[in-house]
Amino acid sequence: MAELTIVEAINTALAIEMERDERVLVFGEDVGVTGGVFRATDGLFQRYGDARVIDTPLAEGVIAGAAIGLAIAGWVPVAEIQFLGFAHNGFNQVVDQLARARYRSAGRFSAQVTIRAPYGGGVRAPELHSDAFEAHFTHAPGLKVVAPATPADAKGLLLSSIRDPDPVMFLEPLRGYRQVKGEVPDGDYPVELGSARVAREGTDVTVIAWSAAVQVAQQAAEDAQAQGISVEVIDLRTLVPLDVAAIAASVTKTGRAVVVQEAPLTSGFAGEVVATIQEEAFFSLQAPIRRVAAPDVPYPVQMLEEHYVPNAERVLEAIIATTRD
Amino acid sequence: MVRYLDQDGELLDDQPMSDELALEGYRVMLRGRRFDERCVSLQRQGRMVTLAPGIGQEAATVGAAMALDPKTDWFVPQYRELAGQLWHGYPLRLAFLWHVGHPIAFQVPDDLKMLPFQAAIAGQLPQAVGLAWGLRLKHDPGVVLAVFGDGGTSQGDFHEALNLAGVMKAPVMFLCQNNGWAISTTVEHQTASASLAQKALAYGFPGVQCDGNDLFAVYATVRDAVARARAGEGPTLIEAMTYRLGLHTTADDPTRYEPREMHEMWVDRDPLRRMQIHLVSRGVVDRSGLERIEDEVKEELRVAWDEAQKEPAPDPAYYFGRAYASTSQRLGSQLSRFERKGLG
């Protein structure tokens, strides 16, 4: 066990996998000599050389598209998109091509590809560097979408993502990169995709979150406890495939649910979670399910962002409200 | 512009391949032509889905494919190069199934180095570059032929792909079939560049224009590009000047935009006619020999279409289990519902 930040945990996972599997290639913008703008790939270029750790041109489309071809040639590409907000420059290659590589060829080809991208707000980054665009990718059959919240999960889920035979969008919590520290098991430590985690046990209300919103939910749970409300926090960890059973089990137990997302409300992934709850646990519900989300406007510039990203106060408000419904 | 055979079938240089190979190339061009004609007719009878014939472009695609070694080299298509794909080994039976909408047509046979057809214009190019880069990294002798059209050169994927290919010295040949039209849009509306081949200059590798209706010109140009790629010297952009004598697709009506005289001018430059004149004048085959080839191709098509019609319809649950390597709990419950009700 070592105490690591999320970005250190990611770096550790990449190093483990490059060492274990010689087919693993790491590439993207500035991932080589400088080790990534957040140092997620620090030291890999020096250790594994320019054939396996490659600085590419500044072009997300061909980063994602070339990953498909590299996978067909027998490599295991781990591509970095510097910020998820720029993944749309390569949206066709990710959603229309990468996600369907297996399907459209009826299994002749597949794409064991991981695309890593930091995302989410709260670090005072410029425009388009902070948007929580996860739902743009959860609606693309063929992709898996992973969004860890802790250093241990960042390491464990990244190891599993790289080894997964299907393409994975691995969304890293930008705000947590250095802010969130935690104990991370040493050595090979894969964490299964598609399995949620009970981040905190409770009995009155279930709060469901993923990525950086998990810490927000945990803070709100702490604050609710002070008011005598016992909150269970479910960290989804993987959005696709979704751990339906874990969501159903928790809400069946508590009868109340709040879903937190950083993205704007309309058509966000929280809506998918709410629909899942009403399908799986409708008769256990004692109150309407509430969503805490950003408003339906684009992410603002720096001076306004703390008024935009859902915080613990808003989550607590929703928790209290749901106990009064 | 590279040219070996003028439009009257006159050889301007030494023939760059044996007579046997030239005759075989002609046969595959004819197979592509007759296949497209047959499919347009079947589509008009309501027996096929919307399709994009490659009529008039057979020399461009077969000539390029002939420069590959199918044992090591990859063919990465768009969707208007079936004749070339037939040369590379794609079975006629699957080609027919493609046009009836059977998913098996996209399941490229295991022993064939080819990606499936691609509907997104230039979407295959970044993948072709990744594939070529990956082969080079493995010290695999293979090279990649990526085919697209004039319209494709306007796409971001084209620019990004050629740019990366230049940087990585990827062993890839970009074959642009400049057939004059992107549906109804002319090349002049596509670009202000004097040629499409010249775009290669910006990416740091050679761009070559060849007569795309001349089998020998396309073959020789791509052959030289293959040699460059295999020697580790990187990519080449080849602009094959050809013409779409047919429709964009069976949903298209070229009489709305195509000048009649332009069409007629290109009918005179028909690549098949050019090869026929050449092969007969060189004594490789006589008129009755050409008729025999016509009959043989007709018979091949009949047999392949019969076989295609015998292919069982896909299982209605076909698509479950093919999107991912394993079925998630959620997809599994969708499948069981489907199996109970027969509905998606």
Side-chain angles (χ1 to χ4, degrees):
Chain A
M1 283 285 201
E3 180 164 274
L4 300 178
T5 62
I6 287 181
V7 79
E8 287 165 345
I10 287 163
N11 183 264
T12 304
L14 291 171
I16 287 174
E17 211 49 17
M18 288 201 80
E19 189 64 36
R20 197 188 69 85
D21 185 349
E22 288 188 348
R23 300 171 306 156
V24 174
L25 305 179
V26 167
F27 58 93
E29 298 157 16
D30 311 299
V31 300
V33 182
T34 195
V37 294
F38 295 104
R39 308 290 176 258
T41 56
D42 195 26
L44 299 178
F45 178 84
Q46 290 74 11
R47 223 171 310 159
Y48 298 103
D50 63 1
R52 292 183 64 201
V53 184
I54 307 105
D55 281 322
T56 65
L58 207 168
E60 290 78 7
V62 81
I63 290 172
I68 303 169
L70 284 163
I72 291 170
W75 298 95
V76 177
V78 182
E80 178 177 303
I81 299 289
Q82 207 162 74
F83 292 88
L84 189 66
F86 302 109
H88 293 82
N89 293 341
F91 202 64
N92 166 52
Q93 288 300 333
V94 176
V95 166
D96 303 340
Q97 305 294 334
L98 174 64
R100 300 176 187 219
R102 178 187 300 280
Y103 185 76
R104 62 192 303 274
S105 67
R108 163 72 201 273
F109 301 111
S110 55
Q112 184 172 345
V113 171
T114 303
I115 297 187
R116 300 177 33 248
Y119 91 122
V123 300
R124 308 226 160 211
E127 192 181 14
L128 277 168
H129 290 65
S130 303
D131 292 70
F133 283 140
E134 68 272 43
H136 298 191
F137 299 95
T138 56
H139 202 57
L143 277 185
K144 294 183 178 178
V145 181
V146 178
T150 67
D153 281 344
K155 175 179 175 179
L157 291 167
L158 182 53
L159 288 172
S160 296
S161 295
I162 299 171
R163 294 171 195 177
D164 196 276
D166 286 311
V168 177
M169 282 300 284
F170 191 83
L171 309 182
E172 300 168 359
L174 179 50
R175 188 161 77 241
Y177 258 178
R178 292 198 169 73
Q179 231 174 56
V180 178
K181 291 194 177 97
E183 291 291 319
V184 178
D186 296 327
D188 194 16
Y189 168 68
V191 172
E192 189 193 7
L193 303 188
S195 143
R197 170 181 77 100
V198 179
R200 177 193 175 100
E201 286 192 32
T203 53
D204 301 331
V205 180
T206 299
V207 177
I208 298 162
W210 56 91
S211 192
V214 170
Q215 280 83 25
V216 174
Q218 281 178 303
Q219 180 60 53
E222 198 70 36
D223 298 344
Q225 191 65 51
Q227 300 192 29
I229 305 168
S230 166
V231 174
E232 178 144 301
V233 177
I234 302 290
D235 171 3
L236 289 181
R237 304 201 288 189
T238 303
L239 306 186
V240 179
L242 185 62
D243 190 345
V244 175
I247 296 169
S250 180
V251 179
T252 301
K253 179 174 77 176
T254 62
R256 298 173 198 275
V258 172
V259 189
V260 188
Q261 72 178 29
E262 261 194 46
L265 182 75
T266 301
S267 295
F269 194 74
E272 183 58 44
V273 176
V274 171
T276 301
I277 294 170
Q278 78 82 24
E279 283 172 346
E280 303 290 330
F282 182 79
F283 295 106
S284 304
L285 286 174
Q286 296 171 47
I289 308 156
R290 289 182 178 261
R291 284 182 287 176
V292 180
D296 284 333
V297 295
Y299 199 93
V301 291
Q302 291 90 338
M303 281 180 73
L304 292 165
E305 64 180 318
E306 66 189 88
H307 305 290
Y308 178 88
V309 179
N311 57 19
E313 196 183 332
R314 283 189 58 201
V315 177
L316 178 63
E317 200 181 10
I319 291 168
I320 293 169
T322 194
T323 60
R324 290 181 183 158
D325 280 333
Chain B
M1 183 164 77
V2 181
R3 174 180 279 169
Y4 280 74
L5 206 55
D6 76 12
Q7 73 180 67
D8 301 318
E10 192 81 32
L11 197 60
L12 309 170
D13 204 333
D14 290 342
Q15 185 176 290
M17 62 175 75
S18 69
D19 287 339
E20 289 84 356
L21 210 54
L23 187 62
E24 204 43 47
Y26 166 76
R27 177 191 293 273
V28 176
M29 287 168 63
L30 187 74
R31 195 178 288 155
R33 172 70 59 92
R34 298 296 176 247
F35 170 82
D36 278 339
E37 289 167 347
R38 179 98 176 93
C39 289
V40 170
S41 158
L42 286 164
Q43 196 278 340
R44 296 306 188 218
Q45 298 165 39
R47 300 170 75 186
M48 284 194 161
V49 299
T50 301
L51 56 97
I55 294 170
Q57 302 177 214
E58 296 86 354
T61 67
V62 174
M66 289 175 84
L68 302 179
D69 178 350
K71 288 193 291 299
T72 54
D73 301 339
W74 288 77
F75 192 119
V76 178
Q78 187 85 69
Y79 53 70
R80 205 188 298 284
E81 35 279 335
L82 184 78
Q85 291 174 269
L86 293 176
W87 178 278
H88 203 62
Y90 189 71
L92 259 181
R93 178 184 66 89
L94 287 184
F96 277 118
L97 288 165
W98 176 32
H99 289 335
V100 298
H102 200 298
I104 203 173
F106 284 75
Q107 191 178 19
V108 178
D110 282 341
D111 55 353
L112 192 54
K113 294 189 185 305
M114 183 180 287
L115 298 196
F117 307 104
Q118 177 59 251
I121 299 301
Q124 72 279 25
L125 300 185
Q127 300 167 37
V129 175
L131 178 55
W133 166 15
L135 293 173
R136 181 162 183 241
L137 211 49
K138 273 169 52 180
H139 308 291
D140 184 301
V143 297
V144 178
L145 175 73
V147 191
F148 54 101
D150 41 289
T153 64
S154 296
Q155 288 279 2
D157 273 346
F158 167 83
H159 169 74
E160 291 192 19
L162 271 71
N163 186 54
L164 180 67
V167 171
M168 300 306 302
K169 281 196 181 298
V172 53
M173 296 75 64
F174 297 103
L175 177 73
C176 176
Q177 294 198 71
N178 181 351
N179 70 6
W181 299 100
I183 306 189
S184 66
T185 304
T186 61
V187 177
E188 292 68 38
H189 285 84
Q190 220 50 260
T191 181
S193 301
S195 78
L196 301 176
Q198 75 177 41
K199 291 175 187 283
L201 182 66
Y203 308 112
F205 54 80
V208 190
Q209 242 182 2
C210 64
D211 184 337
N213 282 10
D214 170 356
L215 183 80
F216 301 141
V218 181
Y219 167 77
T221 308
V222 177
R223 179 201 59 198
D224 293 350
V226 167
R228 257 180 58 76
R230 265 201 239 289
E233 290 164 29
T236 306
L237 171 61
I238 299 126
E239 179 184 10
M241 307 301 291
T242 181
Y243 194 78
R244 194 191 76 208
L245 282 176
L247 314 151
H248 163 64
T249 67
T250 45
D252 175 41
D253 174 11
T255 63
R256 292 175 68 88
Y257 55 82
E258 186 194 33
R260 186 85 220 138
E261 54 283 9
M262 183 181 277
H263 186 90
E264 280 158 11
M265 183 176 86
W266 281 95
V267 168
D268 289 340
R269 300 176 182 176
D270 186 323
L272 274 175
R273 191 178 139 265
R274 202 183 289 195
M275 276 302 278
Q276 287 166 353
I277 295 169
H278 168 71
L279 292 168
V280 170
S281 72
R282 195 175 166 91
V284 179
V285 68
D286 57 14
R287 285 283 154 197
S288 68
L290 285 178
E291 278 166 36
R292 198 170 52 247
I293 294 173
E294 218 22 281
D295 291 342
E296 285 164 6
V297 165
K298 204 169 167 186
E299 179 60 12
E300 285 167 13
L301 290 175
R302 192 192 62 73
V303 169
W305 175 230
D306 281 353
E307 278 176 32
Q309 288 174 291
K310 284 185 205 134
E311 181 71 27
D315 182 327
Y318 179 91
Y319 44 75
F320 288 98
R322 283 180 169 82
Y324 294 95
S326 56
T327 303
S328 68
Q329 180 199 356
R330 174 163 269 199
L331 191 55
S333 63
Q334 291 165 29
L335 175 59
S336 14
R337 196 180 86 92
F338 183 94
E339 283 171 341
R340 282 197 312 276
K341 305 277 188 190
L343 299 168

